[in-house]
Amino acid sequence: MEQQDSVSVLKGIGPKKKAALEKLGIRTIEDLICFFPRDYQDRRRIQSIGDLTEERPALVRGRVTAVKDDPHRRGGKQILRVLISDGSGKLEIIFFNARYLAKMFRPGVLYDFFGKPAFSFGKLQMIHPDYAPSEKGLEQGILPVYPLTAGISQKELRGWQKTALQELSKIREYLPEDIIKRNRLCGMEYAVRNIHFPEEKAALQAGKFRLIFDELLALQTGLLAARYMASEGKQGLAFQKNAAEEHYIKTLGYELTKAQRRVVGEIKADLESGKVMNRLVQGDVGSGKTAVAEIALYKAVKNGFQGVMMAPTEILAKQHFSGLSKSFEVHNITIGLLTGSMTAKEKRETLEKLACGKIQILVGTHAIIQPDVVFQNLGLVITDEQHRFGVKQRSALSQKGENPHILVMTATPIPRTLAVILYGDLDISVIDQLPPGRQKIVTRAIEENQRSLCYDFVEKELKKGRQAYIVAPLIDESEVLDVKSAEELYRELAERFSGYTAALLHGAMKQQEKDTVMERFYKNEIQVLVSTVVIEVGINVPNATIMVIENAERFGLAQLHQLRGRVGRGNHQSYCVLISKANSEVAKKRAQIMVDSQDGFYIAEEDLKLRGPGEIFGTRQHGVPELSIADLARHMHILNDVKKEAGRIMIEDPLLESEKYAELRQRVSKLFSDDFSLRL
Ligand code: ADP
Ligand code: MG
């Protein structure tokens, strides 16, 4: 058997199993042995029933004392109870809808069971454990638990892994020796064998470390290579080295903050360098990213180029359009708007003006990416709220010019350590300061039984002429259920605030319907907006002063911070009320962080400590591939070593073209396969 053989060389894998395995990304033997367990079962020793605890699955051996086969269904299920005892205690084994097993368990005979114990009404139970007569015995040792898909059982997958590892006489090493030595890694052979069927914990640890290192190395070298391809060596537009932008800054009507100044300086240096700019500007909600973008756009236009700014939603695009139109009017610079909802005629006119250069700055939604959108000479591409766009869209937009400069703006505060990875192909600037005089949003965390007090308070604000956002409970991943609960809440609130207009906004609505609702809220035709979490990022309704968030305990802190940022945008004092159910320590701590701080970066750091990064940021949205074994939050310490190594490789062979890195290169391409514009 060879690593590159198809899995169908294994016994028991026909076309059906093959197709199912393919869903797990497994086609070859190599894919199979690189498909790692998500957990392990410790079946090394038999435990006494008397010592069992609820947390940990356990292997027990006991004599059957009784078999109770209840012929009646209860709650739609037939229940078979097998009582066992080992002298130290009694255990009840439960099987649902499995009466056929009744005959198998004979009283007086010894059986082995492996499962998770649970107490029910004081009785110790195991539901649907693995079992075998003790004379045959259950497989012992540390057993892998794999993620599964329909049509494949744990047992099958274990069996195939075992066979493959037995049949392969040697598992190839692919990392150059110097990398292995420097980082004191175990060999590939040892790592792979022990990640599946570890002989002992220490071997598993060593193997895991090696494989996590590998995955992070592929990730990091991939991102660095992408960045290299995007900028290094590529001739960029060199804007004139002068202080033209100061002229624009004078017309802003306020002083830039120190942080804005610093970031403008970084952008200016990029634009004048002759290399392509690839820069991310991270700044909290309200930190003044738009002004920074405008300054860059101004510089582009003054150098004879066009600029484009892409926003994730129609309403945000319109807001930017009207803002930019105002700002650039005194400079005689023409702004255009392009969105999906424009009529064919409007679009045609815009496209004509764009192609001949009459429109100098185009603002729009992703409609801008369409092939019929042609610029005369595009020099600067800006995307706002970048986390809503994939890497692909960003690069599609930059194809519309000849190596235009790229500026990406995001309000999602990401801890710097993580940002370096998530945006590995971008340089990062941070606006870590708010303009002076910003009000604090008064934040309160309350429990459900105080809800009516909260509504009284909302009503007070409505009476003053203000508006409110109310975010409906989050049920789970299912948008359908969320919508249902939002509808319920909406009906309740429409009644509670009957003197005002309430409206509902949810993700299942058509974009146009959503825009209409937002537009009406913006115009104060709607005072109470009940919404699932779809409230558009960056939307600006200064008259809205209250944000009530139901089920606050279910949101990530970063997300709560984003939501809170919808208020406090005008002159009126604003409020955020977090309603939570859970009164666990962690839930309380999280709520307290929100009450205490308005600093998105601080909140993100704290959030990262409490939860994993995947959960918070949905790393996939950032164009970072799904990792199978590494975890960016937990494995930060490994990442530091990996970064050093990746840096070395970049100096030696940035595109991994040499024989030495041929296999690393293959791994990188595989990791980034589908959704990344990385063609290595
Ligand atoms: P965001 O970073 O969330 O996109 P904006 O660019 O929309 O923030 O800015 C929020 C508000 O702050 C705008 O009304 C803008 O005019 C104002 N602003 C930006 N920079 C400053 C500053 N340096 N001083 C005072 N106000 C500012
Ligand atoms: Mg903004």
Side-chain angles (χ1 to χ4, degrees), residues 16 47 89 101 106 115 159 174 192 250 318 508 558 582 615 621 640 642 679:
K16 258 196 196 151
Q47 294 189 40
L101 291 176
R106 277 170 293 131
Y174 77 97
V192 170
K250 279 204 194 90
K318 280 183 187 158
E615 257 183 282
Q621 289 179 6
N640 287 332
V642 165
R679 289 269 162 270

Side-chain angles (χ1 to χ4, degrees), residues 211 426 428 564 656:
L211 295 167
L426 299 169
I428 300 175
R564 178 169 61 183
L656 310 174

Side-chain angles (χ1 to χ4, degrees), residues 254-257 260 283-291 435-436 438 569:
Y254 48 76
E255 292 283 315
L256 290 180
T257 61
Q260 281 171 316
D284 218 338
V285 174
S287 61
K289 293 183 291 294
T290 316
R438 271 298 142 76
R569 308 196 135 226

Side-chain angles (χ1 to χ4, degrees), residues 275 482 544 596:
K275 281 196 202 157
D482 285 348
D596 292 345

Side-chain angles (χ1 to χ4, degrees), residues 289-290 316 320 384-385 409 538 569:
K289 293 183 291 294
T290 316
L316 202 50
H320 276 318
D384 194 15
E385 305 300 350
M409 301 195 294
R569 308 196 135 226

Side-chain angles (χ1 to χ4, degrees), residues 10 408 524 549:
L10 286 165
V408 168
N524 199 1
I549 303 172

